[in-house]
Amino acid sequence: MTPIDNMWPAASLLPNPIPQPRRRLSGGSRHRASERRRCSTLTMLSSSSSSSSSSSSSSSSDAKEDLVTAAGRLLWGRGLPPQALVSAVRSGWSAAWHLMMRQLAPSSSSAASPPGSYARPTSSFPSVPASYRRNPKNLHLYVALPCPWAHRVLVVRALKGLRSALPVSVAAPGLDGSWLFRPRGPSAVGEDLRPGPDRANARRTLREVYGLRRGGYDGRSTVPMLWDAERKEVVCNESYAIIEFLNSADFGGEVHGGSGLDLCPSELKNEIDDWNRVIYPNVNNGVYRCGFAQSQEAYDTAVNGLFNTLDMIESHLSTSRYLCGDALTLADVCLFTTLIRFDLVYNILFKCTKKKLLEYPNLYGYTCDMYQIPEVASTCNFEAIMDGYYCTLFPLNPGGIRPVMPSACNHDLLAKPHNREALSSSGKQSRHASET
């Protein structure tokens, strides 16, 4: 089968016309015959349109399909669309795709990066003011379930027992790429991780919330976002700054269950920073650099960096339960929220196809180990993740078709024994990322 047949598979199913003997016609006869063919075609179109208005929604769809088919036959008979039309559509779609991608996924201007390399925009509110660390009151968290950057904040919030101390509003992706709130949603504590209303400001979109701050706002309205509900001000929308803040701030008596957990102990701070310098550009942002690459060279560079780093971490995790030895840290949280989406989304949609996570025994076991922490599992919503990527990122999936969920992401498989606790040992020294 030729490439053009693959583009238009229905053409191979059309019956071949039966050859008919041809006879010469006079000029007037040829004109009348042409008129009869045109009227016959118009009658077929009219009949198709008329039947669609009187049928059910299913038959209406069929009628529209027949109308399109009939129009195609009128234009080019029973053959394939003309090559000129195919070329024009391809050129038009390519131009539109590059235009959208330049707006949605801006390219790097660095001379060190290949042309068409994705560059993540910097956060407009990159740090949490020191005053909030001493008095973290009246704060509200805005998140969205598909987003890995928001997910890391939800994981730390859950591990630290901050569900009551830090209320949350969950937005859902809109078809235009914005974050929307749904008019009704669950109100009970513990059931807050589904899209619902804006519980702090009663707005319809996250952009409207950003616009409430003094002086307004015309930048990107991103999640996660920490909001001061009393002052009506954006506190921070940089995910790592937020999780550092949640780990270290004193929320007093509002903490339940995780007050003794320190995800960034001082003795591991340098090692955690080492890992983040490796994981962020090559894995966390690396999958986006693959998916949003606008040239082959940019994609090749990103995908090689991604899998070289995954190979390195796979080797490290063969002798270490977590990245920094026996201790669960912020570095693990940051890696986990990318890994849990890898086979689900990035392997397929972002073309990270060299290997699946399931093909890395240590990385997959590590992911299962973290998923089996109840507080972590409570933040994972695989259906929302798939919908948020496959049904929203139109330039990468124009048809909006969502594939079946991979078996590796099945809850029962993720909950199976992983035996990684055998790697824990007080006498075993962890290694820095730079030494691995």
Side-chain angles (χ1 to χ4, degrees), residues 171-225:
L175 293 179
D176 61 351
S178 62
W179 296 111
L180 312 175
F181 299 104
R182 294 181 178 171
R184 291 184 298 276
S187 57
V189 173
E191 297 180 347
D192 55 1
L193 296 186
R194 287 180 291 172
D198 173 9
R199 304 185 194 288
N201 296 290
R203 298 292 163 166
R204 294 181 300 108
T205 70
L206 187 64
R207 174 169 291 279
E208 291 178 12
V209 177
Y210 271 86
L212 292 175
R213 66 178 300 270
R214 186 178 304 170
Y217 181 71
D218 60 359
R220 293 191 174 213
S221 303
T222 61
V223 290
M225 188 264 277

Side-chain angles (χ1 to χ4, degrees), residues 314-331:
E314 169 73 6
S315 175
H316 174 77
L317 291 175
S318 67
T319 58
S320 182
R321 182 173 184 180
Y322 299 115
L323 291 174
C324 298
D326 295 348
L328 180 69
T329 68
L330 293 180

Side-chain angles (χ1 to χ4, degrees), residues 398-411:
I401 296 173
R402 200 188 86 171
V404 67
M405 188 177 298
S407 59
C409 305
N410 182 280
H411 170 79

Side-chain angles (χ1 to χ4, degrees), residues 76-94:
W76 51 75
R78 294 178 180 270
L80 299 173
Q83 187 63 42
L85 176 61
V86 175
S87 298
V89 170
R90 180 172 181 172
S91 298
W93 164 244
S94 178

Side-chain angles (χ1 to χ4, degrees), residues 61-353:
S61 175
D62 292 342
K64 290 177 182 177
E65 227 173 89
D66 292 340
L67 184 62
V68 172
T69 302
R73 288 181 180 174
L74 175 64
L75 291 171
W76 51 75
R78 294 178 180 270
L80 299 173
Q83 187 63 42
L85 176 61
V86 175
S87 298
V89 170
R90 180 172 181 172
S91 298
W93 164 244
S94 178
W97 183 84
H98 279 95
L99 177 63
M100 287 188 294
M101 289 296 290
R102 284 170 188 156
Q103 295 298 316
L104 298 172
S107 295
S108 172
S109 58
S110 170
S113 300
S117 297
Y118 170 62
R120 180 171 295 279
T122 57
S123 299
S124 302
F125 307 92
S127 61
V128 179
S131 59
Y132 287 101
R133 297 183 184 277
R134 298 186 297 271
N135 185 32
K137 305 296 183 183
N138 304 310
L139 295 178
H140 193 86
L141 178 64
Y142 285 96
V143 298
L145 301 180
C147 174
W149 316 102
H151 191 187
R152 57 171 63 174
V153 177
L154 288 174
V155 170
V156 173
R157 172 178 175 267
L159 289 171
K160 295 287 291 185
L162 299 176
R163 289 179 183 270
S164 299
L166 184 61
V168 65
S169 292
V170 182
L175 293 179
D176 61 351
S178 62
W179 296 111
L180 312 175
F181 299 104
R182 294 181 178 171
R184 291 184 298 276
S187 57
V189 173
E191 297 180 347
D192 55 1
L193 296 186
R194 287 180 291 172
D198 173 9
R199 304 185 194 288
N201 296 290
R203 298 292 163 166
R204 294 181 300 108
T205 70
L206 187 64
R207 174 169 291 279
E208 291 178 12
V209 177
Y210 271 86
L212 292 175
R213 66 178 300 270
R214 186 178 304 170
Y217 181 71
D218 60 359
R220 293 191 174 213
S221 303
T222 61
V223 290
M225 188 264 277
L226 200 60
W227 174 260
D228 187 322
E230 182 176 313
R231 295 176 56 225
K232 301 292 182 184
E233 182 60 70
V234 177
V235 176
C236 181
N237 64 355
E238 169 53 52
S239 64
Y240 198 79
I242 295 175
I243 62 176
E244 281 191 311
F245 165 73
L246 297 185
N247 181 65
S248 61
D250 181 11
F251 284 87
E254 295 184 89
V255 177
H256 301 285
S259 57
L261 177 66
D262 187 356
L263 294 168
C264 191
S266 57
E267 66 272 17
L268 293 177
K269 180 69 165 63
N270 289 338
E271 190 168 2
I272 291 169
D273 290 344
D274 283 346
W275 276 114
N276 286 332
R277 279 190 286 268
V278 172
I279 291 169
Y280 171 76
N282 297 303
V283 181
N284 298 146
N285 199 44
V287 293
Y288 282 88
R289 289 170 55 226
C290 293
F292 292 165
Q294 296 176 46
S295 72
Q296 187 66 49
E297 185 182 1
Y299 167 78
D300 291 341
T301 300
V303 81
N304 288 333
L306 167 65
F307 282 99
N308 288 341
T309 305
L310 290 178
D311 289 342
M312 180 269 287
I313 300 174
E314 169 73 6
S315 175
H316 174 77
L317 291 175
S318 67
T319 58
S320 182
R321 182 173 184 180
Y322 299 115
L323 291 174
C324 298
D326 295 348
L328 180 69
T329 68
L330 293 180
D332 296 298
V333 173
C334 293
L335 179 59
F336 171 79
T337 58
T338 296
L339 296 183
I340 200 67
R341 288 163 171 75
F342 198 87
D343 287 0
L344 200 64
V345 174
Y346 304 139
N347 177 257
I348 304 169
L349 189 64
F350 283 9
K351 305 186 227 20
C352 303
T353 49

Side-chain angles (χ1 to χ4, degrees), residues 335-403:
L335 179 59
F336 171 79
T337 58
T338 296
L339 296 183
I340 200 67
R341 288 163 171 75
F342 198 87
D343 287 0
L344 200 64
V345 174
Y346 304 139
N347 177 257
I348 304 169
L349 189 64
F350 283 9
K351 305 186 227 20
C352 303
T353 49
K354 185 176 180 180
K355 292 174 76 172
K356 295 180 182 294
L357 184 68
L358 191 60
E359 297 176 66
Y360 288 103
N362 295 314
L363 275 168
Y364 186 74
Y366 165 87
T367 304
C368 293
D369 191 2
M370 289 197 61
Y371 178 81
Q372 290 174 28
I373 301 171
E375 292 83 0
V376 174
S378 71
T379 66
C380 300
N381 187 322
F382 299 140
E383 295 289 337
I385 291 171
M386 293 192 75
D387 283 343
Y389 281 90
Y390 290 107
C391 302
T392 304
L393 292 180
F394 167 75
L396 301 186
N397 189 31
I401 296 173
R402 200 188 86 171

